[in-house]
Amino acid sequence: MASFKWNLKALPFGNQSVIYHLDGSFFRENEPTRIFAANVDVDFSISRKSEQDYELAMDCHGTLNIECDRCLEEMVHVVDVRYELSVRQEGSDYDDSNEHVLVVPSSWRELDVEPLVRDTVLLTIPIMHHHDDGECNSEMMDALGRHSVTHASENEEDNNDGEAAIDPRWEALQKLKKNN
Ligand SMILES: [Zn+2]
């Protein structure tokens, strides 16, 4: 694999590009979402504009095998994203608060783009992600469904002194879930 570390000071003016191929081992165990496998190509380029200004661009295409929120089985998530970022060497502080301009200390010789590549790919995963309707593992769904039905009937027994005990918001949520 091509190095993720770029020697900023020694970089010639103009454009350098490289392809990073990301597989499952690129992603750590403590990602926000479980990654079973990955097959993503990143067309990465870094362009030096001046003594202290650089432009990065990454085109990421491929697939991640992640955990479905509904049935907890493996599902395929398609990655198709381009991210551009300006890097400026200035002062003594690292500042990544701006989405489009990263400021790194002028003393830095090297820029490690590995975390930038990783975050760019991971941010394509929606907070809620699941198989298309009807494509979840039905055995798993049955098991999970039985579990929540049991809970619902227990609650009904506890609250059988009046219909008002059921929070209307909860009821609406249950209906929404069924329709999904
Ligand atoms: Zn599923």
Side-chain angles (χ1 to χ4, degrees):
M1 166 103 68
S3 174
F4 287 100
K5 291 178 176 158
W6 292 85
N7 188 330
L8 295 176
K9 305 276 190 200
L11 205 66
F13 287 88
N15 198 58
Q16 316 283 317
S17 62
V18 73
I19 305 270
Y20 297 124
H21 180 75
L22 316 181
D23 61 17
S25 66
F26 177 77
F27 297 93
R28 298 160 303 186
E29 285 200 352
N30 58 343
E31 303 296 4
T33 299
R34 188 169 170 201
I35 312 280
F36 294 98
N39 183 9
V40 179
D41 282 322
V42 180
D43 189 346
F44 179 90
S45 71
I46 182 166
S47 176
R48 188 171 194 174
K49 299 291 183 190
S50 77
E51 283 299 324
Q52 72 264 46
D53 290 292
Y54 309 82
E55 298 284 341
L56 310 186
M58 47 192 111
D59 283 293
C60 313
H61 299 283
T63 53
L64 297 177
N65 291 41
I66 59 178
E67 190 174 75
C68 170
D69 285 333
R70 285 183 184 165
C71 71
L72 311 180
E73 296 274 298
E74 203 168 312
M75 60 171 281
V76 175
H77 165 69
V78 174
V79 176
D80 181 16
V81 69
R82 177 178 172 85
Y83 179 51
E84 294 175 8
L85 179 69
S86 297
V87 177
R88 185 170 175 86
Q89 279 202 293
E90 193 175 61
S92 54
D93 293 328
Y94 179 89
D95 180 5
D96 64 357
S97 60
N98 185 309
E99 196 189 340
H100 300 290
V101 184
L102 174 67
V103 178
V104 301
S106 50
S107 60
W108 279 21
R109 299 202 145 272
E110 210 170 60
L111 178 68
D112 182 2
V113 299
E114 190 176 329
L116 297 174
V117 171
R118 183 181 285 111
D119 288 350
T120 300
V121 171
L122 289 177
L123 282 171
T124 66
I125 303 174
I127 292 172
M128 295 295 291
H129 47 269
H130 49 75
H131 290 106
D132 288 341
D133 287 345
E135 291 186 9
C136 281
N137 179 322
S138 53
E139 280 177 31
M140 196 67 131
M141 289 295 277
D142 284 349
L144 295 168
R146 263 200 299 273
H147 184 70
S148 52
V149 166
T150 309
H151 271 271
S153 51
E154 276 169 7
N155 286 344
E156 256 169 38
E157 279 163 28
D158 290 344
N159 297 327
N160 63 4
D161 50 346
E163 283 169 278
I166 298 166
D167 187 329
R169 286 171 302 173
W170 172 248
E171 205 171 29
L173 194 70
Q174 288 297 88
K175 268 184 198 155
L176 207 67
K177 272 187 177 168
K178 275 177 200 150
N179 293 339
N180 274 338

